[in-house]
Amino acid sequence: MAFMMRINFVDVICDDSLVSTYADGKKNGYSFAIRLSYYRGHFLSDIDRFEVYTDGEKVADRDIQFGLNGKQFTVGQLGQCVSEFWTLLEPAHIFVIRPGGLPVGEHDIKVVLYLRCPYLPLPGSAEGEHKYQPIDGCGEKKLTIA
Amino acid sequence: MSRIKLGATLYCYTSEYATGKFTFEDCVRTAAEAGAEGYEIVATQMIPSYPFVSDEFLGLVNDCKAKYGIAPASYGANNDRGMLPDRDLTEEEMLQRAIIDIQSAHKLGCHLLRAQYLLSPAALEKLAPYAEMYDVKCGIEIHNPEYPTSPVMKEYLAAIKRSGSKYIGFVPDFGCFATKPNKPQWDQALAAGAREEMLELAKQMRTDSVPLQEAQQRMLEKGANDAEMMAFSGMYGFVQFSTHPDLEGLKEILPYSIYCHGKFHYLYENNREASIPYEEILPILKDGGFDSFIMSEFEGHGYADAVLMTKRHQKMMRELLHQEA
């Protein structure tokens, strides 16, 4: 009877957060902010799946960085972030590398984000099986880049 | 003469806090206005420097104490056994993290700590000397669908008795004594397209103790939709109810209960809870000489007004305990 838990008090994708990023004065990508969709914070190691889709197109993992606590983590690193706590209130900043950046205008930003609820083992699962209630932290929103 | 202390967990204001309507300070002020004599912090929810308590956060807590007269009394810990991507934390690792929780509780001035059942009975027993060192009593939360004399809780009781320590025990959550379906979940299911007769069927099966698998099968055979199955899962899970709640079990574990969670989902205008029989629960605490905190714990976020409901809950407890505000 596993069902996906979804508890979102706020939008996952933060309003008005889409901005261009630059290297040597040239646009080299974009960034936007996301909030955690739950009632408490989580260590980043609780993230089971993290993907970004921009205008329907999946962004390669290597072009995504997850910014939190003044640091930037690669997607492959998230599972090892056992000491990086993402609080309920603090937005994470997602950085995407894209040569030339995003064209000015409206874009569809979608984040696929699933977490484990690390204190809620699935009913009937035994210790050591490492099966926990999944949390749906996904979000999608149209954001405008100036 | 013992006197029960009435507090509130700031978790009551989860929705207001998450949306930015309330700051931490607003939560403390609102709890004080509701009548709370002390409060609980769910560490993973409101401590910005979790799992540690920064001097900055401690300063905020102390400022709030000076302004509103109440301080943190209990520390809601989470025991995140599943925090690694590939394996469960070992019992020893769980114990090590629980010691950090005790230290953080101590820094905040809390003498009470809620732990969760993934911290094993053996680990709880090993935690006792650390709990004593920091003067922080640690209790395993008895949360629906567990109940005071459920098999798991019996293992904890044995460990607590074996330890001989007054510093480890239980935190009963009154939600486990519910006698009726959860009102918010029922009404939200109806709003989401559940049919009343299907909810009545689920309620009847739960009342008649029809086993989970069989009940589930009958729901599906009758063509239950998602909203109906969600409500059904609740009735057999975290908001299950029973016409015979384990109140005798509560009497048995009361001497080992370090404080309680006064769970509530909805209180009517007459200050009575929709599904949890406080008029039966509170006399047991009073007669049993319980003199620690009951922390009001609202869990009807997004359904009813947390500020109003928490006020009503505090009023209800004072009425039933014949205590002045």
Side-chain angles (χ1 to χ4, degrees):
Chain A
M1 272 213 309
F3 67 96
M4 196 62 77
M5 185 155 53
R6 181 161 180 94
I7 300 179
N8 53 335
F9 293 102
V10 294
D11 290 349
V12 171
I13 312 246
C14 301
D15 285 337
D16 304 323
S17 64
L18 186 63
V19 291
S20 294
T21 57
Y22 297 84
D24 295 333
K26 283 186 215 155
K27 282 185 188 175
N28 77 330
Y30 53 97
S31 133
F32 57 93
I34 62 172
R35 291 270 306 267
L36 188 55
S37 198
Y38 203 51
Y39 77 85
R40 53 157 277 196
H42 283 273
F43 288 108
L44 293 186
S45 57
D46 290 331
I47 295 175
D48 271 333
R49 191 172 156 200
F50 183 74
E51 294 162 6
V52 176
Y53 294 80
T54 298
D55 298 323
E57 206 168 304
K58 189 175 188 294
V59 177
D61 282 356
R62 73 175 77 92
D63 292 328
I64 304 171
Q65 286 163 17
F66 193 105
L68 187 76
N69 301 337
K71 301 163 205 173
Q72 281 176 224
F73 305 102
T74 67
V75 172
Q77 207 178 357
L78 291 175
Q80 298 154 38
C81 292
V82 298
S83 301
E84 296 295 339
F85 195 72
W86 186 11
T87 68
L88 181 59
L89 298 189
E90 192 66 28
H93 291 274
I94 308 305
F95 296 91
V96 177
I97 298 170
R98 175 179 162 128
L102 277 181
V104 168
E106 193 178 72
H107 296 279
D108 184 75
I109 304 290
K110 180 178 159 189
V111 160
V112 172
L113 171 56
Y114 292 104
L115 301 114
R116 288 183 310 288
C117 189
Y119 61 93
L120 271 187
L122 286 180
S125 73
E127 189 176 348
E129 278 189 69
H130 197 263
K131 286 183 183 163
Y132 292 86
Q133 173 64 50
I135 300 170
D136 173 354
C138 301
E140 184 170 7
K141 192 179 271 182
K142 295 218 187 301
L143 295 179
T144 302
I145 199 160
Chain B
M1 175 84 187
S2 70
R3 184 180 168 281
I4 295 172
K5 296 184 267 299
L6 302 177
T9 170
L10 303 186
Y11 171 83
C12 290
Y13 312 116
T14 291
S15 176
E16 290 75 9
Y17 179 75
T19 55
K21 188 180 168 199
F22 279 12
T23 61
F24 178 81
E25 181 174 337
D26 293 330
C27 294
V28 176
R29 192 192 67 244
T30 309
E33 286 167 357
E37 301 167 60
Y39 61 89
E40 172 157 322
I41 295 180
V42 173
T44 52
Q45 183 178 57
M46 291 195 181
I47 301 182
S49 48
Y50 179 84
F52 311 104
V53 175
S54 65
D55 292 344
E56 187 188 354
F57 184 66
L58 182 60
L60 174 60
V61 165
N62 288 338
D63 285 350
C64 288
K65 185 182 175 183
K67 282 188 192 169
Y68 311 111
I70 58 171
S74 60
Y75 183 97
N78 284 115
N79 299 93
D80 287 351
R81 194 183 69 192
M83 65 169 289
L84 301 182
D86 51 351
R87 66 169 176 87
D88 284 346
L89 291 182
T90 65
E91 190 171 274
E92 175 62 23
E93 288 167 329
M94 293 289 281
L95 175 63
Q96 290 172 6
R97 298 188 73 89
I99 293 169
I100 300 266
D101 286 328
I102 286 180
Q103 290 168 331
S104 291
H106 174 75
K107 184 163 178 179
L108 284 169
C110 298
H111 294 285
L112 302 167
L113 181 149
R114 178 284 305 264
Q116 298 174 305
Y117 80 97
L118 291 185
L119 186 72
S120 70
L124 181 68
E125 212 176 332
K126 288 177 191 156
L127 197 59
Y130 298 91
E132 284 174 34
M133 183 188 306
Y134 288 98
D135 193 13
V136 176
K137 288 182 179 172
C138 297
I140 296 291
E141 183 175 28
I142 305 175
H143 193 290
N144 211 349
E146 298 299 328
Y147 50 93
T149 56
S150 62
V152 175
M153 293 305 151
K154 279 183 174 167
E155 289 178 38
Y156 285 102
L157 183 58
I160 293 161
K161 285 182 174 172
R162 203 164 48 229
S163 76
S165 173
K166 292 277 175 209
Y167 277 82
I168 57 172
F170 289 114
V171 178
D173 178 319
F174 298 158
C176 73
F177 305 119
T179 52
K180 292 178 193 158
N182 182 277
K183 180 173 161 58
Q185 291 209 356
W186 184 284
D187 291 350
Q188 282 165 339
L190 288 177
R195 292 158 292 179
E196 188 139 21
E197 65 268 26
M198 288 299 285
L199 297 184
E200 290 290 349
L201 170 67
K203 175 187 173 183
Q204 195 58 47
M205 289 193 292
R206 176 63 218 164
T207 306
D208 297 342
S209 301
V210 175
L212 171 65
Q213 300 294 343
E214 188 188 331
Q216 196 179 347
Q217 193 58 36
R218 276 170 62 187
M219 288 295 286
L220 294 172
E221 277 167 12
K222 296 249 181 191
N225 62 32
D226 284 354
E228 289 154 2
M229 284 314 286
M230 278 287 281
F232 169 83
S233 299
M235 289 188 209
Y236 272 81
F238 293 111
V239 289
Q240 77 172 0
F241 58 94
S242 163
T243 49
H244 304 290
D246 190 18
L247 294 171
E248 286 306 311
L250 175 61
K251 291 177 192 167
E252 191 183 330
I253 58 129
L254 193 61
Y256 307 98
S257 296
I258 62 162
Y259 74 102
C260 295
H261 272 167
K263 174 64 56 63
F264 60 104
H265 301 92
Y266 189 82
L267 280 92
Y268 297 109
E269 278 181 36
N270 66 356
N271 303 328
R272 289 300 178 270
E273 222 284 332
S275 59
I276 301 169
Y278 275 84
E279 53 284 356
E280 291 181 59
I281 297 167
L282 294 187
I284 292 173
L285 269 64
K286 198 172 180 183
D287 296 346
F290 180 79
D291 63 357
S292 184
F293 270 94
I294 301 173
M295 290 290 178
S296 292
E297 189 185 52
F298 176 61
E299 207 162 63
H301 312 302
Y303 172 80
D305 175 20
V307 176
L308 176 64
M309 290 295 130
T310 305
K311 272 187 188 163
R312 285 183 183 172
H313 188 258
Q314 287 275 316
K315 274 187 195 155
M316 172 192 67
M317 292 201 293
R318 288 196 165 80
E319 285 169 14
L320 293 172
L321 292 166
H322 308 291
Q323 285 187 6
E324 297 295 320

